[in-house]
Amino acid sequence: MDQTPPSRPFHVPVLVDEVVRLFAPVAEGLIVDGTFGGGGHTEALLRAFPALRVVGVDRDPDAVARAPRHPRLVVVRGNFARLRAAVAAATGEAADELAVDGVLLDLGISSHQVDEPARGFSFHRAGPLDMRMGPDAARSAAELVNEADAAELRRIFATFGEERYARRIAEAIVRARPVHDTAELAAIVAAAVPAAARRARHPARRVFQALRIAVNAELDALERGLDEALELLRPGGRIVVISYHSLEDRIVKRRFAAGAAGCSCPPDLPVCVCGAPAELRILTRRPLRPSPEEIARNPRARSARLRAAEKGGAR
Ligand SMILES: C[S@@+](CC[C@H](N)C(=O)[O-])C[C@H]1O[C@@H](n2cnc3c(N)ncnc32)[C@H](O)[C@@H]1O
């Protein structure tokens, strides 16, 4: 794809070879990249498979605006929670007649989003408390931080950040209101936790993760997106999901396990031979992880976990 390289990469895709390998059996079909971002995975797939077509979807208008032109690629703004509608908008086909050969979800946020202070995702950079991946998010982080009551903030930090000091942090935020920006929020969190908790990693890391998940309703989108993706897949179609924290990975693991209930074939068999009807065949018994070399090249890959599955039935 022709793209002028920006001074800083929009995003460095993770586990690219693994993604390409897993989609090889559907290389002549249509794959939906439901988290287009900087298009790195899509670029690798289009390069590897000359007959493949890709529909890219992203919530973020920046990702769509920066998408390169390519004769086998269409990119639209949309939420993968409503994947069918997004793909219908991209292809012009009737939503209820659509079927695709592959779906890729590379969850979370892109480096571009983290690195851009105006988006408000980073506790390292002063910026507005925004954290919306796109305009479809109902509330910004500022609205949550300054308007939610202490009980709701505590629930968000405990559930989506697995934050041990959720109550102390929520109460400190409520006392300090109005909170104006990300730097102020990071300082309030740091002051609210015991000194020992400040030593290992930045104390605001979990709180920022939790707010981001709440603002973008990320886990809800993932549950809906998985259902929509599995419904859209043709028999023999493949889904690949890369997650970055245990809350996401758990949802993927459970949905795949529920879909695979019935089939007892080992993951390395090319087709199901046990005959038990199952919606899915799991292709990764354990999640794939980046190699130490990949993590050294791209430290943001370190928490990535890839799971893949194939839709049951004859192609
Ligand atoms: C980790 S990045 C993807 C990077 C991409 N694979 C690449 O190679 O550049 C995640 C992207 O998914 C988008 N995203 C996250 N949740 C989404 C959702 N529910 N619907 C659509 N896009 C979403 C984000 O805006 C972000 O651009």
Side-chain angles (χ1 to χ4, degrees), residues 31 37 49 63 65 93 113 123 156 163 188 193 198 243 300 313 315:
I31 289 182
F49 306 128
E93 288 173 58
Q113 289 165 326
F123 46 82
I156 289 171
E163 170 57 62
I188 294 165
V193 302
R198 277 178 236 143
S243 57
R300 283 180 179 166
R315 275 170 76 74

Side-chain angles (χ1 to χ4, degrees), residues 10-14 16 33-43 57-63 76-83 104-113 119 121 132-134 136 212 216-218 220-222 225 242 244:
F10 194 96
H11 187 81
V12 180
V14 309
V16 174
D33 180 348
T35 50
F36 185 79
H41 284 115
T42 285
E43 180 177 0
V57 178
D58 204 292
R59 283 175 92 163
D60 188 342
D62 281 2
V76 291
R77 187 163 68 75
N79 189 323
F80 62 60
R82 293 179 292 280
L83 200 62
L104 170 65
L105 298 179
D106 176 22
L107 303 172
I109 46 180
S110 67
S111 298
H112 167 74
Q113 289 165 326
R119 304 296 299 266
F121 285 110
R132 285 172 297 179
M133 287 184 191
D136 61 318
R212 193 198 90 200
N216 296 291
E218 287 180 40
D220 191 43
L222 177 56
I242 306 173
Y244 294 86

Side-chain angles (χ1 to χ4, degrees), residues 30-305:
L30 173 67
I31 289 182
V32 183
D33 180 348
T35 50
F36 185 79
H41 284 115
T42 285
E43 180 177 0
L45 289 165
L46 288 171
R47 196 184 303 130
F49 306 128
L52 182 75
R53 289 170 302 126
V54 176
V55 167
V57 178
D58 204 292
R59 283 175 92 163
D60 188 342
D62 281 2
V64 179
R66 301 248 209 140
R69 286 178 199 282
H70 187 286
R72 291 181 280 126
L73 170 66
V74 182
V75 182
V76 291
R77 187 163 68 75
N79 189 323
F80 62 60
R82 293 179 292 280
L83 200 62
R84 183 178 285 277
V87 178
T91 60
E93 288 173 58
D96 52 0
E97 286 168 17
L98 277 172
V100 305
D101 303 281
V103 175
L104 170 65
L105 298 179
D106 176 22
L107 303 172
I109 46 180
S110 67
S111 298
H112 167 74
Q113 289 165 326
V114 187
D115 293 339
E116 178 57 60
R119 304 296 299 266
F121 285 110
S122 173
F123 46 82
H124 291 303
R125 296 175 174 82
L129 279 167
D130 190 329
M131 298 196 197
R132 285 172 297 179
M133 287 184 191
D136 61 318
R139 291 190 287 184
S140 70
E143 286 170 83
L144 264 184
V145 164
N146 287 311
E147 292 168 20
D149 62 23
E152 186 181 356
L153 287 176
R154 179 188 173 191
R155 182 189 61 78
I156 289 171
F157 301 152
T159 313
F160 301 145
E162 301 179 291
E163 170 57 62
R164 197 169 151 197
Y165 302 106
R167 179 207 290 265
R168 291 164 73 147
I169 295 168
E171 287 170 356
I173 289 172
V174 169
R175 276 196 305 275
R177 280 171 178 173
V179 183
H180 298 98
D181 63 19
T182 52
E184 206 178 317
L185 177 62
I188 294 165
V189 175
V193 302
R198 277 178 236 143
R199 275 182 218 122
R201 301 183 79 172
H202 196 293
R205 191 178 60 86
R206 289 171 182 280
V207 165
F208 273 61
Q209 171 187 300
L211 283 171
R212 193 198 90 200
I213 293 174
V215 163
N216 296 291
E218 287 180 40
L219 302 185
D220 191 43
L222 177 56
E223 281 177 4
R224 288 165 192 250
L226 288 174
D227 285 343
E228 289 238 347
L230 294 175
E231 226 187 85
L232 265 179
L233 280 181
R234 286 198 177 89
R238 290 187 160 202
I239 179 164
V240 174
V241 186
I242 306 173
S243 57
Y244 294 86
H245 54 77
S246 53
L247 300 168
E248 290 170 343
D249 186 54
R250 201 173 304 144
I251 291 173
V252 180
K253 183 178 169 184
R254 286 192 181 150
R255 182 63 187 84
F256 282 10
C263 174
S264 56
C265 291
D268 49 342
L269 277 191
V271 288
C272 169
V273 293
C274 72
E279 179 195 21
L280 286 181
R281 186 167 74 90
I282 292 175
L283 302 168
T284 47
R285 193 192 297 277
R286 294 224 168 76
L288 306 184
R289 311 289 307 257
S291 64
E293 294 75 33
E294 176 167 2
I295 295 170
R297 271 196 322 272
N298 178 17
R300 283 180 179 166
R302 80 183 158 269
S303 51
R305 273 170 278 196

